[in-house]
Amino acid sequence: IGGAVGWEWEGFSARGTVVTDVIRATRGTFGEVELGYGFQPTEWLALSLSTKMVGSDSAEHKARFGITTFEATRSAAIGAGLPRYTPVAGFTSAGISGSATYLFNVFDENFGLTAVASYDRLFGQAADSPLVADYGSPNQIFGGLTLSWRAF
């Protein structure tokens, strides 16, 4: 369950989001603050750029980056040897993202082709987690391509 509050004005945007996990046993909560700017330099091209900061409570941090005693024991049994790790609440990451959407028509149908890319940097206790330090990276990169169709 969660909620978001946003504001937009002449291409600028600000958004705050809080989400609480009510399905898993961890019941963790995280929040995100995002600032962005988008514009349409031509009739067929839309561009956007945004930056964000994410933080979470200790339950969410433990679920994503923690290692319980049981998990540490199991990892030792298979040779991984991960130590027990119990992070507390704090900031998790900061990042930047951008997108470009090309709008076009095919047989009088409206389509859009969107490319997205983002970079997030884990820091603090999230980056210090043995899961990230030994088996991952504090640098989180994402890219994607979508095709959309507007029916009316």
Side-chain angles (χ1 to χ4, degrees):
I1 295 177
V5 174
W7 167 81
E8 293 183 11
W9 179 72
E10 294 189 10
F12 292 97
S13 64
R15 181 177 59 109
T17 306
V18 176
V19 177
T20 297
D21 182 0
V22 296
I23 303 296
R24 296 190 330 224
T26 60
R27 308 270 191 229
T29 300
F30 73 90
E32 178 178 298
V33 175
E34 184 174 3
L35 300 173
Y37 181 71
F39 65 103
Q40 195 165 350
T42 69
E43 186 177 329
W44 47 268
L45 182 65
L47 304 170
S48 70
L49 185 66
S50 65
T51 184
K52 69 178 179 178
M53 189 125 183
V54 180
S56 64
D57 68 3
S58 59
E60 186 70 16
H61 253 137
K62 287 176 191 173
R64 292 180 184 267
F65 304 106
I67 301 170
T68 66
T69 302
F70 175 76
E71 292 165 338
T73 303
R74 295 278 296 184
S75 78
I78 63 169
L82 292 171
R84 184 172 187 271
Y85 186 70
T86 308
V88 296
F91 287 107
T92 305
S93 65
I96 187 167
S97 62
S99 70
T101 300
Y102 176 71
L103 306 169
F104 59 97
N105 290 320
V106 175
F107 303 117
D108 290 329
E109 298 290 333
N110 299 314
F111 288 90
L113 183 63
T114 302
V116 296
S118 68
Y119 169 77
D120 288 290
R121 174 74 180 191
L122 298 175
F123 53 84
Q125 294 186 22
D128 294 340
S129 169
L131 296 170
V132 174
D134 296 347
Y135 295 100
S137 170
N139 300 304
Q140 305 290 303
I141 299 169
F142 172 80
L145 195 61
T146 63
L147 178 65
S148 58
W149 169 62
R150 184 174 168 187
F152 45 91

